[in-house]
Amino acid sequence: MTKLLRRPLKELPNFHVYTPLMLPIYGSNGLLARLNAALIRIQVRIVARLAGLNRDAAIGVTIPTAWPVVAPMRRSALVFNRSDLHSAFPEADGAWVEGLERMLLQHSDHVLYVSHELMLRDEDLVGERAFFIDHGVDLEHFQREGSVHPELAGIPNPRIGFFGGLDDYVVDMALLEETARSLPEASLVLVGDATCSMAALTELPNVHWFGFRNYDEIPAFGRGFDVALMPWLDNEWIQHANPIKLKEYLSLGLPVVTTNYPEVEPYRDHLRVARREDFAAEVAAAYEDPGDAEERVRFVRQYSWTGRAEALLHLIGNN
């Protein structure tokens, strides 16, 4: 919050980022919650004016808790980016967040989706205001060509890997452990911060956990994988999610093994979808026969962030 207003990319002088000052308040009602929303709203209005945006600019919302802030604000359009079922987040006050989601679904001019399952769930409430935009991928950042991270040099192949948050409400940690035990000849490489104990995994001789790493380092780790893993739990959060990680793996040309979830359907020809009991066997099959890396890269090129931005601007422009 001390960074205030900034322009982080020199090549994009009209792109501004501001993190507002706010009170550490979480809850539905009360004077402090209303004061917090007003405080954020005032700051956004001032900063928008300093950045040259008029009072009728389009407003985009990515989390339901922004509704009390944006509800009374003037705007040309309100766009709700419905990226996840936030009310299913284990640490959330589900009933309260669900109420905020409903307000945004009712009052937004456009609701963007990356999950067909979630769009179907909201169909009766949103109707024609729904727009499937999908995720993009930074194709230049996640290039197949490039160096492998030097810290992988001493880790033997085949390397089966995962990068991203190791959160026990989305990642099946027990499945990772079972896979490492079932494939002692493979090295399980994990890159990412963890919200749970990693002791059961890291005590295994073929597991290598690198912890949190900067975004700039991630592709170099990924290039060192022989197979990329998506071991998701089967819960409500995952059933309505569309992990961007899949496109990043494919952009790196990696063979991917994933557990099943609804949004994987368009990608079935480009990866292996495994039942939990078959996961380790599918991983072994993937590093023994990795398939066509170039074909995977060609397939994912259609999902550039530039394409997603153009679709969004076209949608708002036709409001």
Side-chain angles (χ1 to χ4, degrees), residues 31-51:
L31 177 61
L32 288 178
R34 293 194 296 274
L35 177 62
N36 211 23
L39 176 64
I40 297 170
R41 185 164 51 247
I42 290 168
Q43 292 174 77
V44 170
R45 283 172 172 161
I46 293 172
V47 169
R49 194 169 304 154
L50 291 174

Side-chain angles (χ1 to χ4, degrees), residues 66-139:
W67 170 247
V69 176
V70 303
M73 294 181 70
R74 286 178 53 181
R75 57 203 178 238
S76 62
L78 178 61
V79 179
F80 177 28
N81 182 36
R82 179 82 149 140
S83 61
D84 290 292
L85 184 62
H86 288 92
S87 53
F89 185 70
E91 296 179 6
D93 180 341
W96 173 56
V97 175
E98 185 177 4
L100 297 175
E101 288 174 329
R102 178 169 287 274
M103 295 301 290
L104 280 164
L105 293 173
Q106 290 175 331
H107 295 285
S108 294
D109 297 288
H110 306 287
V111 183
L112 309 181
Y113 290 90
V114 298
S115 164
H116 289 94
E117 193 79 5
L118 191 51
M119 189 163 69
L120 182 63
R121 177 191 176 104
D122 297 340
E123 185 176 27
D124 291 343
L125 194 58
V126 178
E128 294 182 355
R129 292 175 295 120
F131 183 79
F132 188 81
I133 194 168
D134 208 346
H135 283 308
V137 60
D138 190 338
L139 296 172

Side-chain angles (χ1 to χ4, degrees), residues 1-6 17-22 40 43 47:
M1 290 191 290
T2 62
K3 293 182 178 180
L4 302 178
L5 181 63
R6 55 203 185 276
V17 175
Y18 177 71
T19 306
L21 298 170
M22 64 180 72
I40 297 170
Q43 292 174 77
V47 169

Side-chain angles (χ1 to χ4, degrees), residues 207-225:
V207 175
H208 308 267
W209 177 40
F210 289 90
F212 173 82
R213 292 306 176 98
N214 289 326
Y215 180 71
D216 290 344
E217 296 181 79
I218 298 302
F221 275 104
R223 292 186 198 104
F225 297 170

